[in-house]
Amino acid sequence: MTRTRALWWGGGLLAVLLILVLGGVRACGGEDVADLPHGEKRPAPVSFGAKPLWDERKLGMTRVAGIELRGDTAVVAGDVGLDGARVAAVDARTGKPRWVLDSGHPLRGGGGAVAHHGSGYQAEQLRGVTGKPLVYGDGDAWNVLVQYVVGARGRETELGVAALSGKDGAVRWKRPLIRPRGGDKGDDDREQRMRLLGADARVVLTSVESRDGVDPATVALDPATGRELWRNADGWAFRLVGDVVLGETRGAEAPLGHVWGERREDTDVFALDVTNGKKRWDLGDTVENSHLMAAANGTAVINVNETPPGRSYSRDRTMLVDVATGRPTKHSPKADDDGTSEPLPFYGCADDGRALIACSGSDGRLVTIRPGRHGEPVAAAKVPFGENTTAQVRMVWQDRVLVTGSATGGRPARYAVVDRAANRLGTPPPGEATAMSEQVAAFRVTRAGSTSSRPDGLAVHAAAVGTKPPPEPSGPDPATARPPRIDAAPLWTAGAGEAPVPPPAKDTGLESVISIDLAGDAVVYTGRDREDDDLDRIVVADAATGKVRWSVREGASLGGGAKAGFVSVPHIVDGEGLLLVRYDDGDAEGVAALSLKDGRTRWTKQVTSGNAYLMLKAADRSAFAVEVTSYDGPEDGRDETVVFATGTRRELWRERGVSPVGAGGGLVLAARFAEGENGTREPRDLIAYGTSDGKQRWRLGTRYRDPELLHDGGGRTIVVGTADGGVVLDRATGRELAGTYAPLVQCDADGDVGGGGDGLIVCRAGSRGSSGSDPSGRAVIVQTQGGATTVRDLLETGALTRYGAAGNWFTAIRPAAEGRPERFLLLDGEGRQVADDLPGRPMDIGGGFAVLTPSALTHGIAGAGVPNFSVHRVQG
């Protein structure tokens, strides 16, 4: 070995200097403790909780890309399902969401903009190029950057960057960067893309480039307004250090967005002036290939790959450069001109962005650099995990370095927190450290069965400075209310379908069962008639025995020339023992009231005659409301709401241009629609009219975009979906009680529960028009108790299906997987499981009975329904 080689050690360090700087070792408490360089004070130890406080499953994520901690908030970016992405701002200790944004969902206050809907692990649109969410700002004014689009997928009219409030996810500003326009020569710039590169209080950095990364341009925006400040076409400028922005040229291939730290071929590191984007320096004329590894306090660690003179192969080395000039610092190792020396490179670096850089050196040692007065690399004399195991640097936090020792020789991976001299300061839980504060620490972990080459899970643990361990999480509180005790053995079972139903099950005579309701001591169910599947039938049976009290098929006589019309959606008038249906009588149409007890027609009320169509839409003890559509005259095809008193059948009022959607509590709710694509009706307004006089009490179209009624049980609250999310309103006044950042597409509830208060309402979050397989789908719970309304977004329920409500209980199904059968669950309003062994899915619970179905139920009249259901006794 030459003398020069003997002097090079670690990242180009002189062994003589190492002995002088780090040779002193002193004993402390029975453990050898090496002195820190330059007489620095040793940081205090760090302790960690053994059990995770929460993990990515709490957030409904299948894969985590990154996490940032800001005060008591954790911002996590990751994937949901196979083709969805999510960014969630949650309580750092509990994982409870404060706001969440999914790809394809509207931005709150975004004026129609939606979160960019990329797919898979490359879905960078909701996170920065490092994989972590891009967060900037301090105090209450911090922000999260995301990409947005305007227009349907494939027909986008605008793509840009939005800054969301860290507090509530609302848009603070948005800036369009790409306005797609197609040309007759095939120059459709929809093939352009963006990246989120970096941000601080001075500038937001993004890029505009082609899909394959050709010709990238860095775009700098004002972090307060989004106004464009400058552009630079040298490459991706992403790391803010002092008054410059460091970046890399494109090189031979585009960067991998989710692993920015991976080296690429033929790249050069360059620096731009942060104020105007002009180039300060470029290493392209100095070295063959350079790659940025870390930077802090005016110094950057650069990996250089070059071919020495007279050699046929390339080698790596590390250099330290002054970020202001691009010149090597006085501590930067240099290769001999004759190429005989081969200084060993650093093998991976991290920094705190302020005052300390840590790298993996040779022989398993740790190399640290404190830029400034003492800017030389210092290699620890101690070895964190043994000389045959490299100490892989994961992160730097408050003068502490979190390192990982790879699994070798049958030994598992090891983890440690050390100081600059590699003295142990604590043993963290397993996983790659990725974010840390004085309260919590986050680690990337690999889940069992994962096929990813990188950790894709997340475990957040309690942390504390000092030797005293933080308190362990107590776990979720148990459900406070006692669940209903549903007998395992049914009182009776009803079957449907073509195959004969063997005793003791009762044959419904239906192709399938579409809707089921409990009405006192009766079960009311509907479905397609087996004898004629073009017609529906309604059946009323005794809840205790299953004995059919009566049934009516569409077209059956109701007396006096009236024939039963649409019966798939029965309207039960509580307290009156009535069931209202539409009827036909020649060219006349109206509403008939049938007795729940025996099916006799109590009364009929003709509403239309001639070329008009009637739909019964809502009913209660006070009034029933119908929608009439005329097909002749000047109002051809226009909807009209007509309201009648239930007791006297007297017409109370009518209003053109609106459709009734709810009745009760002295109000009739009506919607105004606009014609959409393919003949669809798009919601535009929701209006409350007084039941008795038809006077407008409140309206939503002037307050919310595209309001749509999702739940109205006639109680205190209603749930309304909007283009920007969802709201819970006081039914009587229209006053907003609570809001949801997640768009809601469907709600289910079991009516009023005890004392006139609303029971639990279970809604499904997801994109409007999406199917039940929407990757962003999960349950959102609404509860009003003691005058207070609470909304809970249960992100972890995304793996469950068939959300529903039965009284004050949330029901769901855990699908079968890996040989495990499906499970029917009962949960409380906070998503805490109270039972997982129900004999079926509760459709309705009341009056001492529970109606259970198999999992095949499809909501809506166009669904396939279920092949059977059973009625069980409820004890207590």
Side-chain angles (χ1 to χ4, degrees):
M1 179 181 291
T2 66
R3 178 177 180 274
T4 303
R5 291 188 182 184
L7 292 177
W8 277 110
W9 185 73
L13 306 176
L14 295 176
V16 174
L17 291 177
L18 288 175
I19 294 172
L20 292 176
V21 174
L22 298 175
V25 177
R26 58 186 173 86
C28 180
E31 178 186 359
D32 289 339
V33 178
D35 290 328
L36 271 65
H38 315 299
E40 293 177 5
K41 183 179 179 180
R42 188 186 186 198
V46 181
S47 301
F48 302 89
K51 298 179 180 179
L53 297 170
W54 52 274
D55 59 31
E56 82 282 357
R57 291 167 290 198
K58 175 73 174 178
L59 309 185
M61 293 182 180
T62 53
R63 183 161 47 185
V64 169
I67 178 174
E68 288 282 4
L69 298 174
R70 187 60 58 112
D72 62 353
T73 300
V75 185
V76 187
D79 298 338
V80 289
L82 297 176
D83 57 359
R86 172 174 293 164
V87 60
V90 304
D91 184 282
R93 287 193 59 84
T94 66
K96 290 183 178 180
R98 291 175 173 166
W99 58 265
V100 178
L101 180 63
D102 286 286
S103 55
H105 284 197
L107 304 187
R108 183 178 179 185
V114 302
H116 202 304
H117 30 65
S119 62
Y121 205 74
Q122 301 291 339
E124 304 165 352
Q125 292 82 1
L126 301 187
R127 50 206 187 232
V129 292
T130 63
K132 291 190 173 185
L134 198 48
V135 180
Y136 72 95
D138 296 310
D140 294 331
W142 61 279
N143 305 281
V144 180
L145 292 174
V146 298
Q147 295 184 36
Y148 74 87
V149 296
V150 176
R153 190 189 293 263
R155 292 176 292 170
E156 297 89 349
T157 59
E158 180 179 310
L159 293 86
V161 177
L164 309 182
S165 163
K167 181 179 180 181
D168 59 13
V171 172
R172 284 211 164 115
W173 57 258
K174 57 188 179 73
R175 171 60 53 182
L177 293 180
I178 302 172
R179 297 187 185 274
R181 59 188 185 281
D184 55 4
K185 295 182 180 180
D187 55 346
D188 191 338
D189 55 5
R190 284 187 176 83
E191 290 305 309
Q192 285 186 299
R193 62 175 294 176
M194 298 173 291
R195 295 180 195 265
L196 303 176
L197 301 178
D200 67 5
R202 299 166 299 168
V203 67
V204 166
L205 301 170
T206 69
S207 72
V208 176
E209 60 198 70
S210 65
R211 288 288 177 184
D212 57 1
V214 174
D215 300 326
T218 298
V219 182
L221 307 176
D222 181 350
T225 66
R227 177 176 59 90
E228 183 170 326
L229 300 176
W230 50 262
R231 290 193 178 212
N232 179 282
D234 287 299
W236 292 280
F238 56 91
R239 184 62 194 271
L240 291 148
V241 188
D243 61 353
V244 304
V245 184
L246 301 179
E248 294 181 7
T249 59
R250 180 180 183 274
E253 58 185 15
L256 298 175
H258 65 284
V259 191
W260 185 267
E262 287 187 347
R263 290 190 305 173
R264 298 171 294 115
E265 295 182 0
D266 301 331
T267 58
D268 297 318
V269 176
F270 62 88
L272 308 178
D273 189 298
V274 72
T275 60
N276 55 32
K278 293 182 179 180
K279 185 184 289 186
R280 288 274 194 92
W281 52 264
D282 188 335
L283 295 183
D285 296 333
T286 306
V287 296
E288 295 177 21
N289 189 53
S290 56
H291 170 69
L292 178 63
M293 299 179 71
N297 196 25
T299 297
V301 180
I302 307 292
N303 177 275
V304 175
N305 181 266
E306 57 192 357
T307 303
R311 299 290 182 89
S312 61
Y313 57 88
S314 63
R315 66 176 183 182
D316 287 341
R317 67 181 178 93
T318 300
M319 61 187 296
L320 309 182
V321 302
D322 184 311
V323 298
T325 64
R327 299 190 186 98
T329 69
K330 65 179 181 179
H331 301 294
S332 183
K334 299 179 177 64
D336 289 348
D337 292 338
D338 61 3
T340 57
S341 69
E342 295 184 12
L344 297 175
F346 299 160
Y347 297 107
C349 300
D351 62 76
D352 61 3
R354 301 180 300 104
L356 186 62
I357 299 171
C359 302
S360 302
S362 64
D363 299 327
R365 298 180 189 274
L366 176 70
V367 179
T368 55
I369 305 164
R370 190 181 295 284
R373 181 180 177 185
H374 301 290
E376 76 277 11
V378 177
K382 299 177 69 173
V383 182
F385 302 111
E387 295 191 1
N388 293 326
T389 303
T390 300
Q392 297 173 301
V393 174
R394 298 303 182 189
M395 67 174 296
V396 179
W397 179 74
Q398 295 186 358
D399 268 9
R400 303 167 180 88
V401 183
L402 285 86
V403 292
T404 301
S406 301
T408 56
R411 298 185 62 179
R414 288 162 290 170
Y415 309 92
V417 182
V418 299
D419 60 20
R420 292 189 67 189
N423 299 307
R424 292 289 184 101
L425 298 175
T427 302
E432 296 182 4
T434 184
M436 190 166 173
S437 72
E438 293 187 357
Q439 289 77 41
V440 298
F443 302 88
R444 300 285 300 276
V445 296
T446 300
R447 297 295 177 199
S450 173
T451 59
S452 173
S453 60
R454 299 175 59 86
D456 50 11
L458 179 73
V460 177
H461 292 254
V465 175
T467 58
K468 182 180 179 180
E472 293 291 339
S474 59
D477 295 330
T480 56
R482 293 179 59 186
R485 291 184 296 140
I486 302 173
D487 288 350
L491 294 171
W492 55 278
T493 299
E498 296 182 357
V501 180
K506 301 181 182 300
D507 187 358
T508 62
L510 304 178
E511 278 289 316
S512 62
V513 180
I514 295 176
S515 71
I516 312 171
D517 292 282
L518 274 171
D521 62 352
V523 178
V524 181
Y525 57 93
T526 67
R528 289 297 171 92
D529 191 86
R530 191 182 303 151
E531 295 180 2
D532 189 340
D533 59 11
D534 288 332
L535 302 175
D536 291 338
R537 179 182 290 274
I538 187 169
V539 183
V540 179
D542 185 271
T545 65
K547 182 179 179 181
V548 174
R549 294 178 179 176
W550 58 271
S551 70
V552 170
R553 188 176 70 174
E554 288 181 2
S557 174
L558 300 179
K563 295 182 179 180
F566 187 74
V567 298
S568 291
V569 182
H571 294 269
I572 300 170
V573 181
D574 293 331
E576 298 295 317
L578 297 179
L579 190 151
L580 305 188
V581 298
R582 181 174 70 89
Y583 78 81
D584 303 316
D585 186 0
D587 63 351
E589 296 182 355
V591 176
L594 309 182
S595 168
L596 271 173
K597 182 178 181 180
D598 54 22
R600 292 182 182 180
T601 302
R602 294 282 188 87
W603 51 258
T604 60
K605 174 62 179 181
Q606 180 179 332
V607 179
T608 67
S609 63
N611 197 10
Y613 182 74
L614 169 73
M615 285 289 291
L616 175 60
K617 302 299 288 286
D620 75 342
R621 299 179 65 178
S622 300
F624 62 92
V626 300
E627 178 184 58
V628 177
T629 305
S630 301
Y631 291 101
D632 54 14
E635 302 296 336
D636 184 28
R638 188 173 182 183
D639 300 327
E640 182 178 31
T641 290
V642 187
V643 180
F644 300 88
T646 301
T648 64
R649 276 81 70 197
R650 178 175 62 88
E651 181 179 321
L652 300 176
W653 53 271
R654 58 178 61 209
E655 182 74 22
R656 291 191 180 277
V658 294
S659 303
V661 290
L667 295 177
V668 172
L669 306 185
R672 178 170 283 116
F673 296 94
E675 186 174 349
E677 295 183 359
N678 302 318
T680 60
R681 298 202 305 176
E682 304 291 342
R684 291 293 181 265
D685 202 353
L686 183 66
I687 307 168
Y689 298 94
T691 298
S692 60
D693 56 16
K695 291 183 179 180
Q696 181 176 306
R697 300 292 197 268
W698 50 261
R699 64 179 299 184
L700 303 183
T702 56
R703 295 156 51 191
Y704 307 105
R705 290 195 311 120
D706 306 339
E708 178 182 20
L709 183 66
L710 298 178
H711 168 72
D712 177 18
R716 298 175 182 173
T717 58
I718 61 173
V719 181
V720 175
T722 74
D724 297 315
V727 289
V728 184
L729 305 174
D730 178 90
R731 195 178 190 281
T733 64
R735 178 173 58 91
E736 182 174 328
L737 302 175
T740 73
Y741 41 76
L744 306 179
V745 294
Q746 186 182 51
C747 293
D748 185 42
D750 195 18
D752 291 346
V753 177
D758 283 323
L760 180 143
I761 304 169
V762 179
C763 299
R764 181 170 67 85
S767 301
R768 277 189 170 183
S770 65
S771 65
S773 61
D774 181 2
S776 63
R778 74 268 188 184
V780 175
I781 305 297
V782 178
Q783 275 186 304
T784 300
Q785 295 177 330
T789 298
T790 302
V791 176
R792 299 184 182 92
D793 189 348
L794 304 181
L795 300 177
E796 65 269 32
T797 61
L800 306 179
T801 63
R802 306 295 183 192
Y803 312 130
N808 270 320
W809 299 102
F810 163 31
T811 67
I813 296 174
R814 189 181 305 282
E818 298 179 357
R820 182 187 63 198
E822 67 180 2
R823 308 288 288 184
F824 297 92
L825 312 181
L826 196 66
L827 306 97
D828 68 6
E830 296 190 22
R832 296 174 294 204
Q833 182 176 299
V834 296
D836 68 348
D837 57 353
L838 300 182
R841 176 179 184 264
M843 282 296 297
D844 207 348
I845 299 177
F849 301 100
V851 178
L852 307 183
T853 70
S855 61
L857 181 71
T858 301
H859 286 284
I861 60 173
V866 291
N868 59 74
F869 67 90
S870 58
V871 178
H872 298 245
R873 181 73 69 183
V874 177
Q875 305 294 334

